[in-house]
Amino acid sequence: MKTSKIILSLGLSLLSFSTVAHQCTQQDLDVVVLGSGGPEMQLFRSAPTPVSRASASYLVREKGKAVFLVDFGTGALQNFVRSGAKIEDLKGIFITHLHVDHINDLPALVKASFFSSRHHDLAIYGPTGNPFIPDTEQYLTRLLGEQGAYSYLSGFLTGDEQYQIYPISVLADHRTPMRFNTEIEGFQVSAIATEHGLLPALAWRIEKGGCRIVFSGDTSNRTHSLDHFVEAADLFIAHNAVPETSQDNVAKKLHMRPSEIARLAQQGKVKQLLLSHLMRRTEHVKAQTERIIKAQFDGKMAFANDCDVYSVATGGKKGQCGDEISD
Ligand SMILES: [Zn+2]
C-alpha cells in the first residue's frame, strides 16, 4: 500500500500579498456553476418549469476543458456530466469545507471515474480538521480507505486502481494569518482560512494569464480574511445564504449578509460578483439583495443558476453548460 501524501500548509506565505494591477487576457477561461444551492431540498419557480438547485460546486475550464473543481455538493455530478466535462482532464479539486452540501457527490465522482480512462493521479485539497470534524485526509480515508464506508473504492487511495487520489490538508485556522500558495500546471492557486462557525473553512483563488477567480465558500468574514484575498478579482463567487434582515443569529455567524459581500466587492474592486449558494431565505428576497449590493458596489453582479457559464475575462454569462456538446 502506498502512503497517502499529506502536505500541510504547503507554500505558506504571510499576508503581504502583492496587489499589482493585472489585466485578464485569457479569453478562454470560464467557470461553470455546477451547483448554486445550499443544503436544503428546495424548488425554485423562476424558471419556466420548477427546478431544484444542486448544492455548491464550480468547474473552472480552460479552452472548454475541465481544469479544477471547487466543492462538489449534492447534484454536482449530474451537472458535471451535463457540462460535457471529463474527469480525465481535471488537474485538482479544492474543497472549501466538509459540510455535506460542499462535498457529498465526491464519492460518486470517484466511482464514476472507474469507468473513465483517467490514469494520472488526482490531488484533492481541503481543510485541516479540529475536534469537531476530521481533516481532509481523515475524511477521505473514512470514506474510501480500506476500513472506510466505501472500502470497495480503497484502491483509489492506495494506488491500486488506475490512478491515485492524494488528499492534501491545507491549514484552515482563521486565527493564523497565513496563506497557502501553490502552482498547478501554470495556474496559481491560493487559499486562506475563513471563519465559518466551528468548522475549519477555506476560500480559494485561482489565477492564470492575469485572470483572477475567487471563491468565498461559506463564511461570515467576521475575521476579515477575505478583505485582501478578493482584491482585483475578475470573478468573485460569493455565497448568499442569509438575507440582509435575517434575525437568525446562528446563520449570521456562519454567512455574510449582502452588505458585507458588497463591501468586500467594492473595496476589492471586483469586476463581476456572482451570488450563489442561494437558499429559501435568500431566493425570495433577491430584489432586496440586489438593491443593497448595487447601492454599495459599482461592478457587475448576477445571481447564479445551475449550469450557467461565466467568462472570467468579460465577467459576463456566456451560455449554459453543454452548449458546446455536439454529439
Ligand atoms: Zn454550504
Side-chain angles (χ1 to χ4, degrees):
M1 172 181 163
K2 295 181 194 172
T3 308
S4 294
K5 183 171 72 174
I6 304 301
I7 301 176
L8 198 66
S9 317
L10 178 76
L12 284 171
S13 67
L14 290 171
L15 271 177
S16 56
F17 181 74
S18 162
T19 54
V20 176
H22 68 279
Q23 181 79 36
C24 177
T25 56
Q26 191 153 344
Q27 302 293 326
D28 54 15
L29 267 189
D30 60 28
V31 174
V32 186
V33 178
L34 299 183
S36 57
E40 291 170 307
M41 291 184 283
Q42 165 206 38
L43 209 57
F44 74 104
R45 299 177 188 282
S46 54
T49 50
V51 292
S52 62
R53 294 181 185 274
S55 300
S57 181
Y58 311 97
L59 171 67
V60 177
R61 303 190 307 187
E62 183 179 31
K63 299 185 178 73
K65 286 174 71 173
V67 184
F68 299 118
L69 284 171
V70 177
D71 284 344
F72 208 62
T74 310
L77 183 65
Q78 280 299 308
N79 289 334
F80 183 84
V81 173
R82 285 188 188 116
S83 76
K86 292 191 170 71
I87 192 169
E88 290 90 334
D89 296 329
L90 282 178
K91 300 179 193 301
I93 299 178
F94 309 112
I95 303 298
T96 61
H97 64 294
L98 299 180
H99 272 155
V100 163
D101 57 318
H102 294 256
I103 192 85
N104 206 43
D105 266 10
L106 197 58
L109 182 73
V110 173
K111 177 60 201 175
S113 73
F114 175 83
F115 303 99
S116 76
S117 56
R118 184 179 183 99
H119 289 286
H120 51 289
D121 294 341
L122 179 63
I124 301 180
Y125 298 75
T128 46
N130 68 11
F132 303 103
I133 196 141
D135 66 25
T136 299
E137 186 216 6
Q138 289 167 336
Y139 169 80
L140 286 168
T141 303
R142 289 179 189 180
L143 272 185
L144 308 175
E146 289 169 327
Q147 306 299 320
Y150 303 118
S151 55
Y152 74 106
L153 300 175
S154 63
F156 288 101
L157 276 187
T158 60
D160 295 324
E161 278 295 350
Q162 67 234 47
Y163 71 93
Q164 185 169 7
I165 290 171
Y166 288 98
I168 298 176
S169 298
V170 174
L171 185 63
D173 180 348
H174 63 77
R175 296 162 301 186
T176 307
M178 305 289 276
R179 189 174 289 177
F180 168 87
N181 295 303
T182 191
E183 189 268 335
I184 302 173
E185 298 190 33
F187 287 81
Q188 295 300 316
V189 179
S190 315
I192 196 159
T194 56
E195 198 274 343
H196 185 46
L198 294 174
L199 244 66
L202 298 166
W204 287 96
R205 188 168 70 195
I206 295 170
E207 298 173 88
K208 188 174 185 184
C211 307
R212 182 174 289 176
I213 316 160
V214 176
F215 303 86
S216 73
D218 291 0
T219 179
S220 65
N221 200 37
R222 284 181 173 215
T223 51
H224 294 277
S225 317
L226 291 177
D227 282 26
H228 294 293
F229 200 67
V230 302
E231 274 175 2
D234 296 283
L235 182 60
F236 174 33
I237 300 181
H239 286 180
N240 176 214
V242 289
E244 191 67 24
T245 52
S246 175
Q247 302 300 312
D248 182 338
N249 287 328
V250 174
K252 284 192 289 186
K253 280 184 186 166
L254 296 174
H255 298 287
M256 294 184 279
R257 285 185 292 179
S259 57
E260 172 63 1
I261 295 172
R263 182 193 70 77
L264 268 178
Q266 181 65 17
Q267 184 180 292
K269 296 186 169 55
V270 165
K271 289 188 183 146
Q272 165 85 28
L273 171 64
L274 185 59
L275 297 176
S276 188
H277 199 293
L278 289 151
M279 298 178 65
R280 238 178 244 120
R281 59 200 182 202
T282 48
E283 188 87 55
H284 300 305
V285 294
K286 283 186 191 159
Q288 178 202 66
T289 298
E290 187 167 351
R291 271 198 308 278
I292 289 164
I293 288 190
K294 286 190 168 167
Q296 293 184 65
F297 172 55
D298 299 335
K300 292 190 277 190
M301 69 154 284
F303 291 96
N305 286 310
D306 286 16
C307 272
D308 284 351
V309 181
Y310 279 84
S311 160
V312 181
T314 69
K317 184 176 161 184
K318 59 184 264 194
Q320 289 283 302
C321 65
D323 280 353
E324 305 93 340
I325 298 173
S326 54
D327 197 37

